[in-house]
Amino acid sequence: MATLRSLLRAGWSQFVADLRTDRFLRYILLLAVVLTGFFFWHRIPNFATRDEFSRILDALVPYGSVIEDPSWESLRSGVVWGRTPFGATTFLYGFLLLPVVVIALFAGQGEAIAALASPAWEFGFYEAWHTTPEWIWTLSIALVRLANVAFAVGSVYLTYRIGVELASRPAGRLASLFLTLSFGFLTIAHEGGEDMPATFLVLLSILLLARYVRQGDTQQFLAASVTGGLAIGFKLTAAPVIGVIAVAHLLRVHRSDQSGLARLQPGLVLTGALLGLLFILVSFPTAVVGRLDLVVERIVGGSLSRASHPTGPDAPILWWFLRGYLSALGLPLFVGSVTGIAASLWHLRDKPASAPAAVLVFTGLFGYLLLFSGWHDFRVHHLLPTIPLAAILLGWTVTRFWDRRPSLAGPLLAILLITSSLYAGVGVAGYADMPRDDAVTWLETEAEEDAVLEVYRRHLQDTAVPHSMTVQHAYGASDAGETLDPCPTYIQLGYRDLLYLAEDTYYRNGIVRASYVRSLVSEEYGYEIVAEFGPRPPNFVPDRPTPGVYHELIRLGIVPQTDQYADEQELRPNQYTLILERTGECDQSREQPF
């Protein structure tokens, strides 16, 4: 604990000193706060992603279990419930949501939290969401997202500090600015999840290791082992940090003037490994309550099987990398990042003084790329930790180029910053006018109190549903033996419903469902289109990049809000929402084929 307090004091002193020394840093951090926090309340009280809902429930269910029955077994069952529970995120969000629980208890609404002890999975926990007071979800999501904004701004500062450690303050400034202008980084800051905290901890670990290599302070190495273990505890794909720790130790051994076994410091390595393993284990709530088997299942049954578990269309891995980075960075910053990485790698041949720190950054970057190259597919949030690492190498490259050719570097840098600012700015501005938010506002204003809304999605998050409105979800209703209202007031179709109209979709296909959706958009069955939100696809047929066709990806690097897959945030195209209202006779023959 004394070591921890010492490192925290040193870190705070460094942060204050940087703000005083580098006047540009405060403006970069302010820009980061504005961009990461802009309209952070979008979709509230609904959720940005399914993962966001799952992580918040993972924290609230144990509270509900204990309020319902104050006992160790209730706490244990509440922890064991859920999707994972998902590592250290449950602890973090449990701490963040404690004020929500306390307010509910003092307001006499503790039963609302207790009712979350065993939420039903149907329609993405719709019943738990619908029956719980709206203020609980509003405050919970707001606290979680603000915490992610804080981690994002912290990641910007750590990127700056690693850039300074690697090269100079100008390199650090540029690296942090490039990260701040990366739209993929900004989107992850707009949701609750484990990705941003894990990225923050990975960057902190790399910074500590760079100082360990330079100074030889073993406390830095052990602290890096702890933060690396915590990063893995938040997200198992942070495992490449283990390779960075190992490389850092080898670099320090190479610099050591000791000889024999003492030079290798096996005791230090063993202590660091044990600390890292310990913090990985205690990061999982299931391990803390004695269910190590669930931790093993998560690691072996979940993460290791991810490479063979397809959740998107089949396409070459290069296509997935290009798709992810073009939408995350934009075309100019993507080209700049690739150039910066290649130039920095070439520059290492000259063995510059900053080579050890650069090697650590490269180790982390290539470790992640190697990890994901074995997957079937991945999302922007999986690539998140590589974005600041690429920004660091780009910042380093630009400062070297500036020293040699300032007359050429200046205009090129200006073009890169202006185009990246436009891409990120337009993308973030889109949060102020999201189709599903607009659809919810319309329903709250126009729909009668007893109106019924019919939707066809599997999960609540995929819909535009007012918290107080009566909803019937047709997907799986017949299998569950439920009887649907044959003539609801409204029917809602979204972008993913329209995918049934697109040929050769990898997941949503079938002639019967496609015919039904086409009949609805053709205003049959006595329903007419009364409202649309977001850009309508041509003839209602989504036009998304063809898997494996590379030239179609260029648009993703030019238009910041583009079509997404699976568990990513659904941005403007994916949020297209169509509302039909019953205006004619009730067509009793209408059958919902879901």
Side-chain angles (χ1 to χ4, degrees):
M1 292 304 295
T3 300
L4 176 62
R5 287 194 296 269
S6 174
L7 289 171
L8 289 174
R9 283 195 300 267
W12 178 255
S13 298
Q14 181 69 74
F15 175 65
V16 172
D18 285 334
L19 288 177
R20 289 174 177 170
T21 304
D22 193 339
R23 63 188 178 91
F24 291 104
L25 176 60
R26 67 192 71 175
Y27 298 118
I28 294 173
L29 294 180
L30 178 61
L31 178 63
V33 170
V34 171
L35 292 179
T36 58
F38 182 78
F39 261 76
F40 73 88
W41 57 87
H42 71 106
R43 300 238 59 207
I44 291 177
N46 206 327
F47 301 83
T49 63
R50 303 185 187 195
D51 286 353
E52 183 177 65
F53 198 177
S54 295
R55 306 303 181 261
I56 290 176
L57 272 182
D58 281 347
L60 287 177
V61 167
Y63 279 124
S65 299
V66 172
I67 292 173
E68 184 182 54
D69 176 23
S71 66
W72 167 254
E73 281 304 317
S74 294
L75 175 62
R76 193 168 188 262
S77 64
V79 168
V80 169
W81 177 94
R83 175 171 167 178
T84 306
F86 212 90
T89 315
T90 303
F91 288 119
L92 174 63
Y93 289 0
F95 171 75
L96 292 173
L97 300 183
L98 180 59
V100 179
V101 177
V102 171
I103 293 172
L105 291 173
F106 275 100
Q109 294 184 322
E111 71 280 357
I113 304 296
L116 296 173
S118 53
W121 291 80
E122 187 181 10
F123 190 40
F125 307 106
Y126 168 75
E127 191 62 27
W129 178 78
H130 180 62
T131 57
T132 302
E134 183 176 342
W135 73 265
I136 290 179
W137 299 121
T138 298
L139 184 55
S140 297
I141 299 171
L143 289 173
V144 163
R145 289 190 188 165
L146 284 173
N148 276 271
V149 168
F151 278 112
V153 176
S155 297
V156 170
Y157 172 69
L158 290 176
T159 300
Y160 167 85
R161 183 101 292 276
I162 295 173
V164 175
E165 189 76 23
L166 190 154
S168 62
R169 288 197 186 276
R173 288 188 209 119
L174 286 174
S176 59
L177 187 56
F178 290 141
L179 177 61
T180 302
L181 298 178
S182 300
F183 180 56
F185 171 76
L186 300 174
T187 61
I188 307 305
H190 280 75
E191 68 173 86
E194 64 280 355
D195 298 278
M196 197 60 77
T199 297
F200 174 86
L201 290 167
V202 167
L203 293 173
L204 180 56
S205 182
I206 291 175
L207 175 60
L208 291 168
L209 290 169
R211 290 179 171 176
Y212 162 69
V213 173
R214 178 167 55 85
Q215 300 172 358
D217 185 353
T218 57
Q219 288 186 352
Q220 307 273 4
F221 179 83
L222 296 178
S225 300
V226 170
T227 55
L230 283 174
I232 297 172
F234 270 98
K235 194 171 183 70
L236 291 173
T237 52
V241 75
I242 297 174
V244 181
I245 294 173
V247 169
H249 180 66
L250 293 176
L251 289 172
R252 186 60 208 174
V253 167
H254 180 70
R255 287 187 165 201
S256 175
D257 55 3
Q258 294 179 308
S259 60
L261 188 61
R263 185 178 187 180
L264 297 176
Q265 293 184 291
L268 177 64
V269 175
L270 180 61
T271 304
L274 291 176
L275 278 173
L277 179 61
L278 173 64
F279 275 85
I280 291 173
L281 289 177
V282 299
S283 294
F284 282 85
T286 43
V288 176
V289 298
R291 291 296 303 274
L292 287 174
D293 59 311
L294 295 178
V295 178
V296 174
E297 180 182 341
R298 168 61 193 160
I299 296 174
V300 177
S303 295
L304 296 184
S305 64
R306 179 62 175 79
S308 59
H309 177 64
T311 56
D314 190 20
I317 199 66
L318 178 60
W319 184 87
W320 281 103
F321 273 119
L322 290 175
R323 175 193 167 275
Y325 281 117
L326 283 171
S327 60
L329 302 175
L331 183 58
L333 192 54
F334 170 73
V335 173
S337 297
V338 172
T339 303
I341 292 169
S344 295
L345 190 60
W346 183 262
H347 182 63
L348 284 182
R349 297 181 314 119
D350 299 329
K351 297 181 180 179
S354 54
V359 168
L360 296 182
V361 173
F362 270 115
T363 302
L365 177 62
F366 290 152
Y368 273 104
L369 296 180
L370 181 63
L371 172 66
F372 295 132
S373 66
W375 286 29
H376 172 273
D377 55 80
F378 43 78
R379 317 288 181 236
V380 171
H381 68 90
H382 294 120
L383 299 174
L384 177 65
T386 67
I387 296 177
L389 300 180
I392 291 166
L393 296 173
L394 176 56
W396 187 32
T397 296
V398 172
T399 53
R400 296 195 314 270
F401 188 46
W402 187 287
D403 291 338
R404 293 196 303 269
R405 299 284 299 276
S407 60
L408 182 58
L412 289 177
L413 177 60
I415 293 172
L416 183 58
L417 291 178
I418 290 172
T419 54
S420 299
S421 298
L422 288 172
Y423 188 87
V426 171
V428 169
Y431 280 103
D433 183 26
M434 297 297 265
R436 283 183 186 153
D437 289 336
D438 296 338
V440 168
T441 301
W442 187 90
L443 287 168
E444 289 174 334
T445 304
E446 301 295 329
E448 299 291 336
E449 187 175 348
D450 59 347
V452 176
L453 175 67
E454 181 171 288
V455 296
Y456 305 125
R457 306 302 331 123
R458 289 188 174 196
H459 198 284
L460 164 70
Q461 181 263 323
D462 298 330
T463 63
V465 174
H467 183 266
S468 59
M469 192 170 189
T470 301
V471 175
Q472 68 175 17
H473 42 94
Y475 199 102
S478 59
D479 296 336
E482 299 179 11
T483 301
L484 297 175
D485 181 349
C487 298
T489 317
Y490 298 103
I491 293 176
Q492 182 178 115
L493 293 175
Y495 182 89
R496 295 191 180 277
D497 295 308
L498 300 182
L499 285 174
Y500 287 112
L501 302 178
E503 295 182 1
D504 299 324
T505 56
Y506 75 98
Y507 186 66
R508 292 172 179 84
N509 48 38
I511 297 176
V512 175
R513 290 176 178 176
S515 176
Y516 176 75
V517 171
R518 177 56 70 184
S519 297
L520 285 178
V521 299
S522 300
E523 299 183 311
E524 300 180 14
Y525 303 118
Y527 284 85
E528 294 183 3
I529 298 173
V530 291
E532 289 182 81
F533 306 93
R536 178 199 285 190
N539 194 28
F540 297 103
V541 181
D543 182 20
R544 48 181 17 183
T546 305
V549 178
Y550 294 96
H551 70 270
E552 294 183 8
L553 295 176
I554 295 177
R555 182 178 180 275
L556 274 62
I558 299 173
V559 181
Q561 295 246 3
T562 51
D563 183 17
Q564 308 291 297
Y565 282 109
D567 59 346
E568 290 173 292
Q569 283 181 55
E570 297 192 331
L571 304 178
R572 285 189 60 80
N574 294 91
Q575 287 199 17
Y576 170 76
T577 302
L578 172 73
I579 298 177
L580 302 105
E581 183 177 9
R582 180 166 58 83
T583 57
E585 291 291 328
C586 178
D587 188 347
Q588 298 286 345
S589 66
R590 182 179 69 94
E591 294 185 5
Q592 308 93 323
F594 297 98

